[in-house]
Amino acid sequence: MASVTQQQIQKFHKDGFLVLEQFFSAEECDSMRSQIQRIIAEMEVPPHCRTAFSTKQEEQVQEQGSSDYFLTSGDKIRFFFEKGVLDEKGNFLIPKEKSISKIGHALHAYDPVFKQITHSPKVQELGRKLGLERPVVVQSMYIFKQPGIGGEVTPHQDASFLHTEPLGRVLGFWIALEDATQENGCLWFIPGSHTNGINRRMVRAASGASTCIEFVGSEPAYDDKQFIPLPISKGGLILIHGEVVHKSELNSSESSRHVFTFHVMEAKGTTWSKENWLQPTPELPFPSLYT
């Protein structure tokens, strides 16, 4: 992997994202894929926790909001499923390894393979090149984007879910473990859209409310023509500014699009919102990226 140049870092600040091809080796990608297969093989899913994952607002409030399983997943390794994979009784209609949407949100803390990748020397070096002084890891996810059913992710900004004061302190690292193409659901971005603040926030609802989370503000209707696709090969890394608008389409292809992604916050001079769904816990304070 070539070292990141100042020119590339300037491009990141201008666009709000940066594509770094071949950042991780094929072996590193395969080690993450094998590890996730082991985790799935051992997965026990309590029926009441079989929460389908959705990004559409009403469903999100209804399904995740009523679900403690999601809200308390920040310091655990938990499983979230695609829609339509369970019958009314909560039994799988298709094999469980093909029905899972994502695993989150503390793989970086509790799994040795994902921990090693998150804190790998090249990630730490990249953090230093970006000028991060006290970066901490706030969450991680393994995303499957299953063939044929991997759902779309509607346009959003990560800072809607991971809010800080000031803004601009959250950064996503998105690692393609297989080629991500326009057919299997690569990411699409609006270049430069990270400079206008955020449009909505997902917050913890007041105690006693019927849902655990609610949205403040709303996502505007974005012009489809403003989005550009970012296909990337296996091992590639996309850096994602917390306020850049991005999305991915439904995966209607025959191939999956596995990704490991984690979010880092510059903790120096930054306040993590007490209203975020994700909170550090005594068991898992946000670990430093630098080891």
Side-chain angles (χ1 to χ4, degrees), residues 182-255:
Q182 285 196 47
E183 291 68 47
N184 73 0
C186 70
L187 294 180
W188 294 68
F189 286 82
I190 300 181
S193 56
H194 60 303
T195 56
N196 310 323
I198 57 170
N199 297 298
R200 66 170 184 155
R201 286 181 58 188
M202 183 172 100
V203 298
R204 287 184 169 237
S207 58
S210 59
T211 60
C212 304
I213 53 164
E214 58 194 10
F215 283 91
V216 180
S218 60
E219 211 60 67
Y222 297 105
D223 176 1
D224 271 346
K225 292 192 278 301
Q226 289 187 291
F227 285 92
I228 62 162
L230 289 193
I232 188 166
S233 306
K234 175 178 177 172
L237 168 71
I238 302 181
L239 277 181
I240 304 175
H241 187 287
E243 281 94 84
V244 75
V245 178
H246 58 289
K247 66 173 184 176
S248 67
E249 307 289 342
L250 173 81
N251 179 4
S252 50
S253 81
E254 307 277 295
S255 53

Side-chain angles (χ1 to χ4, degrees), residues 84-117:
V85 299
L86 299 166
D87 64 18
E88 310 75 81
K89 298 196 179 75
N91 299 313
F92 287 101
L93 298 165
I94 57 175
K96 64 179 182 179
E97 65 279 1
K98 292 230 172 1
S99 62
I100 194 157
S101 159
K102 61 176 200 169
I103 297 179
H105 289 87
L107 285 160
H108 63 281
Y110 295 128
D111 182 90
V113 172
F114 292 98
K115 187 175 197 170
Q116 193 178 355
I117 293 286

Side-chain angles (χ1 to χ4, degrees), residues 42-115:
E42 293 167 13
M43 157 177 92
E44 286 299 323
V45 193
H48 72 278
C49 295
R50 292 179 171 180
T51 311
F53 174 69
S54 168
T55 52
K56 295 213 170 56
Q57 189 155 327
E58 303 70 43
E59 293 171 10
Q60 214 168 26
V61 168
Q62 178 200 334
E63 302 211 340
Q64 296 180 354
S66 58
S67 166
D68 234 20
Y69 187 70
F70 170 74
L71 275 188
T72 55
S73 65
D75 62 353
K76 299 179 188 66
I77 294 176
R78 286 193 166 164
F79 306 93
F80 302 89
F81 299 93
E82 288 292 353
K83 290 188 300 206
V85 299
L86 299 166
D87 64 18
E88 310 75 81
K89 298 196 179 75
N91 299 313
F92 287 101
L93 298 165
I94 57 175
K96 64 179 182 179
E97 65 279 1
K98 292 230 172 1
S99 62
I100 194 157
S101 159
K102 61 176 200 169
I103 297 179
H105 289 87
L107 285 160
H108 63 281
Y110 295 128
D111 182 90
V113 172
F114 292 98
K115 187 175 197 170

Side-chain angles (χ1 to χ4, degrees), residues 23-24 108-109 114-140 169 171-173 175 237 239 260-268 285-291:
F23 193 87
F24 289 96
H108 63 281
F114 292 98
K115 187 175 197 170
Q116 193 178 355
I117 293 286
T118 303
H119 298 279
S120 60
K122 49 196 166 190
V123 168
Q124 298 192 34
E125 185 199 355
L126 181 52
R128 292 197 167 91
K129 286 235 165 98
L130 288 160
L132 300 176
E133 293 185 54
R134 277 183 39 216
V136 295
V137 185
V138 298
Q139 69 157 5
S140 57
R169 299 302 173 86
L171 177 63
F173 289 72
I175 305 157
L237 168 71
L239 277 181
F260 176 56
T261 178
F262 58 91
H263 283 89
V264 163
M265 170 181 73
E266 169 62 271
K268 188 181 179 189
F286 294 151
S288 170
L289 180 68
Y290 301 150
T291 45

